[in-house]
Amino acid sequence: MEGTESRSGTSSSVVADWSLVFWTLCSVILPVLITLWCSFQRSRRQVLIRDIFRKSKHDWHYTDLFGQPSYCCVCAQHILQGAFCNCCGLRVSEGCLKKADQLFLCKEIMMRSNGGAHSSMPHHWIRGNVPLCSCCMICKQQCGTQPKLCDYRCVWCQYTVHDECMMDCLKTEECTFGEFRDLIIPPYYLSTINQMRKDKRTNYEKVVPYCRKHWMPIIILANTRSGNNMGETLLGEFKILLNPVQVFDLSKTAPAKALQLCTLLPCNAVRVLVCGGDGTVGWVLDAIDEMKIKGQERYIPQVAILPLGTGNDLSNTLGWGAGYAGEVPVEQILRNVMEADGIKLDRWKVQVTNKGYYNLRKPKVFTMNNYFSIGPDALMALNFHAHREKTPSLFSSRIINKAVYFFYGTKDCLVQECKDLNKKVELELDGERIELPNLEGIIVLNIGYWGGGCRLWEGMGDEPYPLARHDDGLLEVVGVHGSFHCAQIQVKLANPVRLGQAHTVRLILKSSKMPMQVDGEPWAQGPCTVTITHKTHALMLYHSGEQTDDEASSMSEQDHVREQTDEDV
């Protein structure tokens, strides 16, 4: 009996052990299987969504969380995540995506030809998800106030209408294209131009839409790699307000190709808005120079800037601000472009000829819009550029970029790698040799701002000096004693060493290797001759908005200098 009991006890303990092992394995393996199944389903779902996105005429983008209360345009249910069209503004849940693609048309960039010419088009209404604080065009009351899919919005003129105010006549009424009609390229214009090209006619000036005299179509060129990923957001917002054919992503389409749209538009009428840093602006201006070489001078556009870079000195000089972070609505940006005044910007040729190669090596040639420098600021730019090339993901914030510049500036204050520059270089202004004091850096300026917002030529503004302009064919040449001196100038505690103004600047580096930069593009340069001469003018747009305190004080100081000069005369 005792043996039997012991054997039964042993078997029951074995069963218990195996049961424990089984449930332990289940508790470990089951979550893993569930995770793998969910991952498989998610990847399969993403493949299906990407396939729909690729085949669709809508510009779909997926988001995990909408920025405002949203409702599916198909099932009318409230949704937190789903897909939205960057062009027409449709919002749908993931399950209704395929159906929405079949039910709703997106913005047409060009009207379908029905055998005749068009000079107008009806409204294109989309139901629901109207902009916040929009008003009905009929009763003038606020739209979108009910917590459901309600009210209509035209994807072209952006007018909104209540459900109860929507009448049959509105569905066939001619669209006026709203506030930005002077900037929009209508679909029927492009269809007419397409027909004229088939007929080999090029008198596009006769096909001005709306019969308007002040039509100034705009082209948006956005660099999505500039700034804190603002370019991607701006592309969508501009596509909503304009014809999507007017909006280009420079990471996918080169400026030279995008600017060919100007040749299909009236002469001297196009405006270009460049969304990016000063480097992006230089890239676009180089493409415009190529248009001149091709004999397309009459199609040259005027250029405005939306600053997304780190320094943005050219943008600051032309009144567009030191940086954009979404604080100004896109609608106001377009208004500013419409109201901006045309001016000219000098562009300069910088030729660097190496010594010691018997002129067998071709000289390096750059185009300068902002400034050229040799010394501590070029060294900071060179160190920054080298580290950004190694780890580009760390340099996606404007604040971090400036902090890195500050670090290298502080380091140079201690090391002084560029000292005794006056013994290593010779400077000529319009052929006249300039005796240099003890310096660490020389900066040649074309614009008013330098170093991320400093008015270098003016300094503290307590000394009389010739006025600096960016369209007078003159360069301003200054010297600095080092990184600490640069920092003092930026906070208006010191003046630069003003070496003079000139139409042509020649700098000879006699010995050693020194850092140089042109518009933020740095390199280490051995013995050479640098010659800066005038190249051409660029047509820019100047925004005369509200002045900052620094700008106001600088203008008042310049006016005071003018008055003193007049009294002396």
Side-chain angles (χ1 to χ4, degrees), residues 473-496:
L474 283 172
L475 293 166
E476 287 71 46
V477 186
V478 302
V480 292
H481 297 302
S483 297
F484 186 69
H485 186 209
C486 291
Q488 287 180 308
I489 296 171
Q490 286 187 323
V491 294
K492 296 203 169 191
L493 292 178
N495 285 316

PDB file of all heavy atoms in Angstrom, residues 473-496:
ATOM      1  N   GLY A 473      27.108  97.415 -56.504  1.00  0.00           N
ATOM      2  CA  GLY A 473      28.333  96.965 -57.153  1.00  0.00           C
ATOM      3  C   GLY A 473      29.572  97.144 -56.310  1.00  0.00           C
ATOM      4  O   GLY A 473      30.691  97.068 -56.838  1.00  0.00           O
ATOM      5  N   LEU A 474      29.406  97.369 -55.012  1.00  0.00           N
ATOM      6  CA  LEU A 474      30.535  97.547 -54.097  1.00  0.00           C
ATOM      7  C   LEU A 474      30.551  96.473 -53.025  1.00  0.00           C
ATOM      8  O   LEU A 474      29.487  96.042 -52.558  1.00  0.00           O
ATOM      9  CB  LEU A 474      30.471  98.919 -53.416  1.00  0.00           C
ATOM     10  CG  LEU A 474      30.908 100.144 -54.230  1.00  0.00           C
ATOM     11  CD1 LEU A 474      30.602 101.416 -53.460  1.00  0.00           C
ATOM     12  CD2 LEU A 474      32.384 100.074 -54.575  1.00  0.00           C
ATOM     13  N   LEU A 475      31.747  96.059 -52.627  1.00  0.00           N
ATOM     14  CA  LEU A 475      31.937  95.119 -51.534  1.00  0.00           C
ATOM     15  C   LEU A 475      32.498  95.856 -50.329  1.00  0.00           C
ATOM     16  O   LEU A 475      33.313  96.775 -50.484  1.00  0.00           O
ATOM     17  CB  LEU A 475      32.892  94.004 -51.944  1.00  0.00           C
ATOM     18  CG  LEU A 475      32.405  93.046 -53.035  1.00  0.00           C
ATOM     19  CD1 LEU A 475      33.579  92.216 -53.567  1.00  0.00           C
ATOM     20  CD2 LEU A 475      31.320  92.126 -52.510  1.00  0.00           C
ATOM     21  N   GLU A 476      32.082  95.459 -49.139  1.00  0.00           N
ATOM     22  CA  GLU A 476      32.632  96.006 -47.905  1.00  0.00           C
ATOM     23  C   GLU A 476      33.636  94.996 -47.341  1.00  0.00           C
ATOM     24  O   GLU A 476      33.305  93.804 -47.214  1.00  0.00           O
ATOM     25  CB  GLU A 476      31.533  96.260 -46.868  1.00  0.00           C
ATOM     26  CG  GLU A 476      30.643  97.452 -47.186  1.00  0.00           C
ATOM     27  CD  GLU A 476      29.714  97.217 -48.369  1.00  0.00           C
ATOM     28  OE1 GLU A 476      29.084  96.144 -48.421  1.00  0.00           O
ATOM     29  OE2 GLU A 476      29.652  98.091 -49.255  1.00  0.00           O
ATOM     30  N   VAL A 477      34.833  95.464 -46.997  1.00  0.00           N
ATOM     31  CA  VAL A 477      35.896  94.584 -46.516  1.00  0.00           C
ATOM     32  C   VAL A 477      36.255  94.991 -45.091  1.00  0.00           C
ATOM     33  O   VAL A 477      36.579  96.155 -44.829  1.00  0.00           O
ATOM     34  CB  VAL A 477      37.144  94.654 -47.419  1.00  0.00           C
ATOM     35  CG1 VAL A 477      38.179  93.630 -46.975  1.00  0.00           C
ATOM     36  CG2 VAL A 477      36.766  94.424 -48.876  1.00  0.00           C
ATOM     37  N   VAL A 478      36.190  94.029 -44.163  1.00  0.00           N
ATOM     38  CA  VAL A 478      36.489  94.307 -42.757  1.00  0.00           C
ATOM     39  C   VAL A 478      37.461  93.257 -42.227  1.00  0.00           C
ATOM     40  O   VAL A 478      37.600  92.169 -42.797  1.00  0.00           O
ATOM     41  CB  VAL A 478      35.211  94.301 -41.879  1.00  0.00           C
ATOM     42  CG1 VAL A 478      34.209  95.321 -42.371  1.00  0.00           C
ATOM     43  CG2 VAL A 478      34.587  92.914 -41.837  1.00  0.00           C
ATOM     44  N   GLY A 479      38.122  93.606 -41.137  1.00  0.00           N
ATOM     45  CA  GLY A 479      39.005  92.671 -40.464  1.00  0.00           C
ATOM     46  C   GLY A 479      38.547  92.446 -39.038  1.00  0.00           C
ATOM     47  O   GLY A 479      37.881  93.303 -38.441  1.00  0.00           O
ATOM     48  N   VAL A 480      38.898  91.289 -38.473  1.00  0.00           N
ATOM     49  CA  VAL A 480      38.560  90.980 -37.075  1.00  0.00           C
ATOM     50  C   VAL A 480      39.817  90.458 -36.381  1.00  0.00           C
ATOM     51  O   VAL A 480      40.690  89.857 -37.009  1.00  0.00           O
ATOM     52  CB  VAL A 480      37.422  89.937 -36.971  1.00  0.00           C
ATOM     53  CG1 VAL A 480      36.116  90.520 -37.470  1.00  0.00           C
ATOM     54  CG2 VAL A 480      37.761  88.665 -37.739  1.00  0.00           C
ATOM     55  N   HIS A 481      39.886  90.720 -35.076  1.00  0.00           N
ATOM     56  CA  HIS A 481      41.062  90.331 -34.293  1.00  0.00           C
ATOM     57  C   HIS A 481      40.969  88.901 -33.775  1.00  0.00           C
ATOM     58  O   HIS A 481      41.927  88.419 -33.174  1.00  0.00           O
ATOM     59  CB  HIS A 481      41.239  91.285 -33.117  1.00  0.00           C
ATOM     60  CG  HIS A 481      41.514  92.699 -33.540  1.00  0.00           C
ATOM     61  ND1 HIS A 481      42.594  93.047 -34.328  1.00  0.00           N
ATOM     62  CD2 HIS A 481      40.834  93.857 -33.302  1.00  0.00           C
ATOM     63  CE1 HIS A 481      42.577  94.358 -34.550  1.00  0.00           C
ATOM     64  NE2 HIS A 481      41.529  94.870 -33.939  1.00  0.00           N
ATOM     65  N   GLY A 482      39.815  88.249 -33.947  1.00  0.00           N
ATOM     66  CA  GLY A 482      39.660  86.882 -33.479  1.00  0.00           C
ATOM     67  C   GLY A 482      38.220  86.551 -33.172  1.00  0.00           C
ATOM     68  O   GLY A 482      37.303  87.372 -33.384  1.00  0.00           O
ATOM     69  N   SER A 483      37.987  85.347 -32.658  1.00  0.00           N
ATOM     70  CA  SER A 483      36.631  84.893 -32.352  1.00  0.00           C
ATOM     71  C   SER A 483      35.984  85.752 -31.263  1.00  0.00           C
ATOM     72  O   SER A 483      34.791  86.047 -31.319  1.00  0.00           O
ATOM     73  CB  SER A 483      36.647  83.429 -31.922  1.00  0.00           C
ATOM     74  OG  SER A 483      37.103  82.614 -32.969  1.00  0.00           O
ATOM     75  N   PHE A 484      36.776  86.132 -30.261  1.00  0.00           N
ATOM     76  CA  PHE A 484      36.235  86.956 -29.178  1.00  0.00           C
ATOM     77  C   PHE A 484      35.822  88.327 -29.699  1.00  0.00           C
ATOM     78  O   PHE A 484      34.789  88.878 -29.292  1.00  0.00           O
ATOM     79  CB  PHE A 484      37.264  87.094 -28.056  1.00  0.00           C
ATOM     80  CG  PHE A 484      36.739  87.810 -26.842  1.00  0.00           C
ATOM     81  CD1 PHE A 484      35.768  87.222 -26.037  1.00  0.00           C
ATOM     82  CD2 PHE A 484      37.192  89.077 -26.510  1.00  0.00           C
ATOM     83  CE1 PHE A 484      35.271  87.880 -24.925  1.00  0.00           C
ATOM     84  CE2 PHE A 484      36.700  89.746 -25.415  1.00  0.00           C
ATOM     85  CZ  PHE A 484      35.729  89.141 -24.608  1.00  0.00           C
ATOM     86  N   HIS A 485      36.597  88.882 -30.625  1.00  0.00           N
ATOM     87  CA  HIS A 485      36.247  90.163 -31.252  1.00  0.00           C
ATOM     88  C   HIS A 485      34.944  90.032 -32.049  1.00  0.00           C
ATOM     89  O   HIS A 485      34.089  90.930 -32.016  1.00  0.00           O
ATOM     90  CB  HIS A 485      37.395  90.618 -32.168  1.00  0.00           C
ATOM     91  CG  HIS A 485      37.199  91.976 -32.743  1.00  0.00           C
ATOM     92  ND1 HIS A 485      37.724  92.350 -33.973  1.00  0.00           N
ATOM     93  CD2 HIS A 485      36.513  93.069 -32.301  1.00  0.00           C
ATOM     94  CE1 HIS A 485      37.383  93.591 -34.241  1.00  0.00           C
ATOM     95  NE2 HIS A 485      36.647  94.056 -33.236  1.00  0.00           N
ATOM     96  N   CYS A 486      34.770  88.897 -32.746  1.00  0.00           N
ATOM     97  CA  CYS A 486      33.515  88.655 -33.480  1.00  0.00           C
ATOM     98  C   CYS A 486      32.322  88.644 -32.529  1.00  0.00           C
ATOM     99  O   CYS A 486      31.266  89.208 -32.825  1.00  0.00           O
ATOM    100  CB  CYS A 486      33.583  87.330 -34.231  1.00  0.00           C
ATOM    101  SG  CYS A 486      34.741  87.302 -35.619  1.00  0.00           S
ATOM    102  N   ALA A 487      32.511  87.977 -31.374  1.00  0.00           N
ATOM    103  CA  ALA A 487      31.425  87.920 -30.393  1.00  0.00           C
ATOM    104  C   ALA A 487      31.100  89.310 -29.852  1.00  0.00           C
ATOM    105  O   ALA A 487      29.929  89.654 -29.637  1.00  0.00           O
ATOM    106  CB  ALA A 487      31.822  86.987 -29.255  1.00  0.00           C
ATOM    107  N   GLN A 488      32.113  90.139 -29.629  1.00  0.00           N
ATOM    108  CA  GLN A 488      31.886  91.510 -29.148  1.00  0.00           C
ATOM    109  C   GLN A 488      31.102  92.329 -30.182  1.00  0.00           C
ATOM    110  O   GLN A 488      30.205  93.101 -29.828  1.00  0.00           O
ATOM    111  CB  GLN A 488      33.225  92.188 -28.858  1.00  0.00           C
ATOM    112  CG  GLN A 488      33.916  91.688 -27.604  1.00  0.00           C
ATOM    113  CD  GLN A 488      35.243  92.394 -27.380  1.00  0.00           C
ATOM    114  OE1 GLN A 488      36.087  92.448 -28.284  1.00  0.00           O
ATOM    115  NE2 GLN A 488      35.417  92.957 -26.192  1.00  0.00           N
ATOM    116  N   ILE A 489      31.433  92.140 -31.465  1.00  0.00           N
ATOM    117  CA  ILE A 489      30.720  92.875 -32.529  1.00  0.00           C
ATOM    118  C   ILE A 489      29.256  92.453 -32.575  1.00  0.00           C
ATOM    119  O   ILE A 489      28.360  93.285 -32.756  1.00  0.00           O
ATOM    120  CB  ILE A 489      31.400  92.625 -33.886  1.00  0.00           C
ATOM    121  CG1 ILE A 489      32.819  93.190 -33.891  1.00  0.00           C
ATOM    122  CG2 ILE A 489      30.587  93.263 -35.013  1.00  0.00           C
ATOM    123  CD1 ILE A 489      33.630  92.799 -35.124  1.00  0.00           C
ATOM    124  N   GLN A 490      28.992  91.154 -32.379  1.00  0.00           N
ATOM    125  CA  GLN A 490      27.623  90.656 -32.455  1.00  0.00           C
ATOM    126  C   GLN A 490      26.727  91.232 -31.366  1.00  0.00           C
ATOM    127  O   GLN A 490      25.527  91.394 -31.572  1.00  0.00           O
ATOM    128  CB  GLN A 490      27.620  89.129 -32.398  1.00  0.00           C
ATOM    129  CG  GLN A 490      28.099  88.484 -33.695  1.00  0.00           C
ATOM    130  CD  GLN A 490      27.923  86.985 -33.693  1.00  0.00           C
ATOM    131  OE1 GLN A 490      28.097  86.337 -32.680  1.00  0.00           O
ATOM    132  NE2 GLN A 490      27.565  86.426 -34.852  1.00  0.00           N
ATOM    133  N   VAL A 491      27.298  91.550 -30.206  1.00  0.00           N
ATOM    134  CA  VAL A 491      26.496  92.142 -29.116  1.00  0.00           C
ATOM    135  C   VAL A 491      26.716  93.645 -29.026  1.00  0.00           C
ATOM    136  O   VAL A 491      26.397  94.275 -28.012  1.00  0.00           O
ATOM    137  CB  VAL A 491      26.816  91.466 -27.769  1.00  0.00           C
ATOM    138  CG1 VAL A 491      26.379  90.024 -27.789  1.00  0.00           C
ATOM    139  CG2 VAL A 491      28.302  91.571 -27.416  1.00  0.00           C
ATOM    140  N   LYS A 492      27.310  94.239 -30.085  1.00  0.00           N
ATOM    141  CA  LYS A 492      27.495  95.693 -30.194  1.00  0.00           C
ATOM    142  C   LYS A 492      28.365  96.266 -29.085  1.00  0.00           C
ATOM    143  O   LYS A 492      28.074  97.329 -28.520  1.00  0.00           O
ATOM    144  CB  LYS A 492      26.134  96.404 -30.233  1.00  0.00           C
ATOM    145  CG  LYS A 492      25.311  96.055 -31.454  1.00  0.00           C
ATOM    146  CD  LYS A 492      24.282  97.116 -31.766  1.00  0.00           C
ATOM    147  CE  LYS A 492      23.674  96.862 -33.121  1.00  0.00           C
ATOM    148  NZ  LYS A 492      22.860  97.962 -33.603  1.00  0.00           N
ATOM    149  N   LEU A 493      29.437  95.562 -28.767  1.00  0.00           N
ATOM    150  CA  LEU A 493      30.412  96.061 -27.798  1.00  0.00           C
ATOM    151  C   LEU A 493      31.727  96.444 -28.465  1.00  0.00           C
ATOM    152  O   LEU A 493      32.658  96.878 -27.781  1.00  0.00           O
ATOM    153  CB  LEU A 493      30.680  95.000 -26.716  1.00  0.00           C
ATOM    154  CG  LEU A 493      29.519  94.684 -25.767  1.00  0.00           C
ATOM    155  CD1 LEU A 493      29.905  93.588 -24.795  1.00  0.00           C
ATOM    156  CD2 LEU A 493      29.093  95.942 -25.007  1.00  0.00           C
ATOM    157  N   ALA A 494      31.805  96.276 -29.791  1.00  0.00           N
ATOM    158  CA  ALA A 494      33.039  96.618 -30.508  1.00  0.00           C
ATOM    159  C   ALA A 494      32.716  96.890 -31.966  1.00  0.00           C
ATOM    160  O   ALA A 494      31.641  96.517 -32.463  1.00  0.00           O
ATOM    161  CB  ALA A 494      34.067  95.484 -30.390  1.00  0.00           C
ATOM    162  N   ASN A 495      33.634  97.562 -32.648  1.00  0.00           N
ATOM    163  CA  ASN A 495      33.517  97.823 -34.083  1.00  0.00           C
ATOM    164  C   ASN A 495      34.489  96.940 -34.844  1.00  0.00           C
ATOM    165  O   ASN A 495      35.554  96.585 -34.323  1.00  0.00           O
ATOM    166  CB  ASN A 495      33.841  99.292 -34.381  1.00  0.00           C
ATOM    167  CG  ASN A 495      32.708 100.212 -33.974  1.00  0.00           C
ATOM    168  OD1 ASN A 495      31.546  99.937 -34.215  1.00  0.00           O
ATOM    169  ND2 ASN A 495      33.058 101.323 -33.312  1.00  0.00           N
ATOM    170  N   PRO A 496      34.169  96.579 -36.074  1.00  0.00           N
ATOM    171  CA  PRO A 496      35.140  95.838 -36.891  1.00  0.00           C
ATOM    172  C   PRO A 496      36.250  96.777 -37.359  1.00  0.00           C
ATOM    173  O   PRO A 496      36.129  98.008 -37.254  1.00  0.00           O
ATOM    174  CB  PRO A 496      34.289  95.347 -38.063  1.00  0.00           C
ATOM    175  CG  PRO A 496      33.247  96.404 -38.221  1.00  0.00           C
ATOM    176  CD  PRO A 496      32.939  96.868 -36.818  1.00  0.00           C
TER     177      PRO A 496
END
